Amino acid sequence: MPHRFDFDAASALSKGGRSYQEDAVIADYSRGSDIGLTVLADGMGGHAAGDIASKIVVTEVFSELMFQCGDREGFEKQIKTRLTEAAMAANAGLRAHVQAHPETHGMGATLVATVILNQHLYWISIGDSPLFLFRDGALRQLNEDHSMAPQIDFMVRNGLMGAEEARHHPDRNILTSVLFGESVPHVDCPDAPFSLAQGDILIVASDGLQFLTDEEITTVLTEHSHDSSAAIADHLMDRVIALEDPELDNVSFSLVKLQEAASIGATGHSGVQGEGIRRAG
């Protein structure tokens, strides 16, 4: 399978205003590889439980995808099945942990897992962690938002609620689907891949990044679009931290720029679980 892009990727994490970290992210965009993977989970369940939940999810999903993608052609032909199986294996892992440790009942995590292969983007997502595409100066979210936010925003568009009220609505972040060891109501895993283009920037993030508005994120990406992924990630995290919001959630994201082959330096960037180009807070 021909190699289409060079990957310039970086990851970043911050505890934000919290005393503990419940996000986890694994990213692998090795230079010379024709496949790139990101797996991100935003845990819930409080100190220890949320941290464990996110690690179970990213570890299970990433290891399963890495195992399956050894056969590139076969993997791409069955990629929706493989993504779904990996997510359900993670869900089963959460169930097993809760059964063994009843005190962690209620623990869970969101999931976004992306695969870039042969100019194609595939993903599976459960929960409200966003997958952003920045292309031609415009930012948009590609995946579904499994929370009450879309319904609240619908009310704003129809004049039933003000924009500021909607932004701070107490029900905005209530999840309508999540991995927690039980049945999963909603899964976003498109049948057809999304076609990527040279110059695209993809961001897989926890919802903590959305303490910035889409306009603020767009401004950073526009002003620094020619910088390295590591520099862009630094600028985004700086903008979030500069909010000085005491309610700031954990923030984590993996950012990848897609460039023509051999147009970046000699080494690519690869993030690992719990690590990245930066740990803040």
Side-chain angles (χ1 to χ4, degrees), residues 168-190:
H168 300 285
H169 197 285
D171 294 339
R172 185 172 187 86
N173 295 321
I174 292 178
L175 296 174
T176 58
S177 191
V178 70
L179 293 173
F180 70 114
E182 304 295 337
S183 62
V184 181
H186 307 291
V187 176
D188 181 18
C189 189

Side-chain angles (χ1 to χ4, degrees), residues 127-129 141 144-157 161 163 165-176 207 210:
D128 64 347
S129 296
Q141 183 170 338
E144 297 174 359
D145 182 345
H146 299 148
S147 74
M148 292 298 293
Q151 297 182 40
I152 291 171
D153 291 340
F154 175 82
M155 295 176 69
V156 173
R157 291 194 299 271
M161 184 182 297
E165 180 185 358
R167 182 170 172 78
H168 300 285
H169 197 285
D171 294 339
R172 185 172 187 86
N173 295 321
I174 292 178
L175 296 174
T176 58
D207 65 341
Q210 292 178 300

